[in-house]
Amino acid sequence: MAFFLFISIITVLFIVLMIFCPENIKNILMSFFLIAFAAIVLVPLLFMFTASVQPARDIIAMPYHWIPRRFEWNNFYRALAGNDGRFTFIRNTLNSLIVSASVTGSTLLLASLTGYSLAKFHFRGNKLVFIFIMMTMMIPFETIMVPLYMVVLKLHLQNSYQGLIVPFLVNAFGVFMMRQYLQTFPDDVLDAARIDGCSEPAIYARIVLVNSGPALATLAILTFRQQWDSLMWPLMVAQEKTLKTIPTYIASFAEEKFADEGAMMAVAVLASFPMIILFIFLSKYFLGGNSMYSAGKE
């Protein structure tokens, strides 16, 4: 309670200073605020990395030792071996990669197609279709989880990649993002391509997609992360250990009577690497959302 009171007081004080202070002081305060906020965000990551190389008793010790007194590299061996010692980590990681990559690819394709159609083709019911798509964003996944699971059972997709992938081939947020992004795409470029005899599929593939890098990269990162972190649906659909994903593999460490905190943190570190690598590769597009279109004719 005291912590939240302290944060509230600091926030109010910061707002007051930002209103009444000179411009140069505002810049200093904003820089300080951003650095402090970044430090708060990074604290859980720092804890995860330091805890992954410490014995379990040091992880739960108070006060916590941010600099390990003894490095327990055996945590990573137990993380790879799992509770049952069957070394299913690699298979579970592969499952997560297959599911996340498949959902991300289908979302980029279907969301960009739908967003492009809604943004650039004016037909009767255009806005109504978009409204219905947006309405699905207001429905919590928990309310449709059981009916969706029953559909998967009826289609005999349980314990299969199809059951993990098909229900999430596209999402309303992706359609919304692509539509809003493509609404600013210059119509003159599309009209020029049509005059030159370019077909609609070619316009979409060679002009629209090529110049939608920032939006596609952002959507790819968000979609991949959502599927990579998904826990509830794989728990329901995939009962076989060979089909489990990384979140369910991590959760299995908490199912034991005596949880292995060190191995749990170690596997969390290993599971975070694919997301870090993906962000590094797509960061120049992800951070380039304000870049101008540069479509040209060939």
Side-chain angles (χ1 to χ4, degrees):
M1 186 66 182
F3 175 76
F4 290 107
L5 180 61
F6 173 77
I7 294 297
S8 301
I9 294 173
I10 292 297
T11 302
V12 172
L13 181 61
F14 175 78
I15 294 174
V16 172
L17 291 174
M18 288 297 292
I19 293 174
F20 296 103
C21 286
E23 193 65 30
N24 58 338
I25 302 297
K26 288 182 180 179
N27 293 334
I28 296 174
L29 287 174
M30 182 58 68
S31 299
F32 176 78
F33 173 78
L34 292 175
I35 293 172
F37 185 77
I40 293 174
V41 171
L42 292 174
V43 164
L45 295 177
L46 179 61
F47 170 77
M48 180 181 70
F49 281 102
T50 57
S52 67
V53 294
Q54 294 193 51
R57 62 178 179 274
D58 290 347
I59 296 175
I60 61 177
M62 296 297 293
Y64 179 74
H65 297 279
W66 292 98
I67 300 177
R69 295 181 295 182
R70 182 170 69 88
F71 288 88
E72 185 70 25
W73 299 110
N74 195 46
N75 288 342
F76 288 92
Y77 174 81
R78 296 198 305 275
L80 295 174
N83 288 326
D84 54 5
R86 297 176 60 182
F87 290 90
T88 57
F89 173 81
I90 296 178
R91 177 60 186 268
N92 294 156
T93 302
L94 180 62
N95 292 339
S96 286
L97 287 173
I98 292 173
V99 173
S100 301
S102 300
V103 172
T104 300
S106 66
T107 298
L108 293 180
L109 175 63
L110 297 177
S112 60
L113 274 173
T114 308
Y116 174 55
S117 302
L118 293 174
K120 294 303 179 182
F121 292 92
H122 304 287
F123 53 89
R124 182 176 298 179
N126 181 305
K127 292 184 179 179
L128 185 62
V129 171
F130 181 65
I131 290 173
F132 275 115
I133 293 175
M134 290 300 96
M135 285 174 58
T136 63
M137 293 179 62
M138 303 297 106
I139 304 175
F141 177 70
E142 289 75 13
T143 61
I144 64 172
M145 185 168 57
V146 174
L148 189 62
Y149 178 69
M150 298 302 297
V151 172
V152 169
L153 286 181
K154 293 293 184 181
L155 295 176
H156 305 288
L157 298 179
Q158 192 179 24
N159 286 318
S160 67
Y161 285 122
Q162 293 90 330
L164 294 171
I165 295 172
V166 171
F168 308 100
L169 288 178
V170 67
N171 58 73
F173 176 76
V175 174
F176 169 76
M177 175 182 289
M178 294 307 302
R179 176 187 180 272
Q180 298 304 108
Y181 188 85
L182 292 173
Q183 274 189 323
T184 62
F185 196 95
D187 292 329
D188 293 341
V189 175
L190 304 178
D191 293 337
R194 293 187 180 104
I195 292 174
D196 287 347
C198 193
S199 63
E200 291 298 335
I203 292 174
Y204 166 76
R206 299 171 61 184
I207 298 178
V208 175
L209 283 184
V210 171
N211 292 278
S212 300
L216 292 173
T218 302
L219 183 58
I221 291 174
L222 296 178
T223 304
F224 191 94
R225 183 207 57 80
Q226 183 181 30
Q227 290 302 314
W228 187 263
D229 295 343
S230 178
L231 173 62
M232 187 60 67
W233 185 251
L235 277 177
M236 296 177 62
V237 175
Q239 279 77 43
E240 296 181 4
K241 289 188 176 182
T242 55
L243 276 172
K244 289 186 178 296
T245 56
I246 281 297
T248 57
Y249 182 84
I250 297 175
S252 66
F253 284 91
E255 295 175 358
E256 298 295 311
K257 183 177 181 180
F258 301 100
D260 191 341
E261 292 86 358
M264 191 185 302
M265 291 296 104
V267 75
V269 169
L270 295 174
S272 66
F273 284 143
M275 282 305 310
I276 295 174
I277 294 172
L278 178 67
F279 179 80
I280 290 174
F281 275 102
L282 297 180
S283 59
K284 68 176 182 178
Y285 302 103
F286 183 71
L287 300 176
N290 295 324
S291 61
M292 299 295 292
Y293 290 108
S294 58
K297 296 184 292 182
E298 295 184 3

